Amino acid sequence: MNRINPLHVAALLLVIILFLFLKVGTLKDELSKTNDEYHDTKTLALKLSSLKKIYTHKQKTKQKIEKILRQNYLKSAHLEIQQGKTSIKISSKAIDAKALKFLMNKFLNGTFIISSLSIKKQSKTSATLEMEIQW
């Protein structure tokens, strides 16, 4: 009677093996979820990195803004430009509608961080403009 029954040992081993298979299955599921999250995070990081490259070049942003503001089309707009350390403020008390459309097309289609924009209509052909662009 002091001997261990081999059927009990076999049943215990069978229960341990079943437990291990279930545990391995759940670990595989967790691993696949973690792998999917890793790929999503990697894709997001690549997108953020490319956006950072586009939006964080202070010199390039300044050059683009200066190039736009030097256009002959904007000479009649009498733009007032105030440059700060982190932004540029562009304002005009009376800007022609065509010049405003040209200016907005250039700034809204470009890669600029526009922190504030205010356009108020004065008449059918003119408006006031206040805009701040950050870099």
Side-chain angles (χ1 to χ4, degrees):
M1 290 301 249
N2 291 339
R3 292 181 52 182
I4 299 174
N5 191 347
L7 291 176
H8 289 157
V9 172
L12 179 65
L13 287 175
L14 183 64
V15 168
I16 291 174
I17 290 172
L18 286 175
F19 176 73
L20 290 177
F21 276 124
L22 290 174
K23 192 68 172 172
V24 167
T26 57
L27 289 175
K28 283 183 182 179
D29 291 340
E30 287 180 28
L31 179 64
S32 66
K33 288 179 185 177
T34 306
N35 195 15
D36 291 341
E37 289 175 2
Y38 167 75
H39 288 295
D40 292 342
T41 306
K42 184 178 177 181
T43 305
L44 180 63
L46 290 173
K47 287 180 183 178
L48 288 175
S49 174
S50 64
L51 287 174
K52 184 178 178 183
K53 286 179 184 177
I54 292 171
Y55 285 103
T56 58
H57 291 291
K58 182 178 177 181
Q59 266 320 98
K60 286 185 180 181
T61 304
K62 278 185 176 181
Q63 289 173 351
K64 288 178 186 178
I65 292 171
E66 288 172 0
K67 184 178 178 182
I68 291 170
L69 295 176
R70 281 192 310 249
Q71 298 290 325
N72 289 334
Y73 208 67
L74 298 174
K75 295 293 182 188
S76 66
H78 304 291
L79 296 174
E80 298 172 11
I81 301 165
Q82 299 172 345
Q83 278 191 337
K85 290 184 178 180
T86 60
S87 66
I88 184 169
K89 293 180 182 179
I90 303 168
S91 61
S92 177
K93 293 181 181 174
I95 186 169
D96 184 21
K98 290 181 182 180
L100 179 64
K101 182 178 178 182
F102 173 79
L103 188 66
M104 287 297 101
N105 281 334
K106 292 294 184 181
F107 282 121
L108 294 178
N109 289 328
T111 54
F112 301 104
I113 302 171
I114 300 173
S115 59
S116 67
L117 176 64
S118 174
I119 301 171
K120 294 180 183 172
K121 182 178 176 182
Q122 289 180 336
S123 68
K124 287 186 177 183
T125 59
S126 68
T128 61
L129 169 72
E130 292 180 14
M131 178 170 47
E132 183 177 0
I133 300 172
Q134 293 182 341
W135 46 70

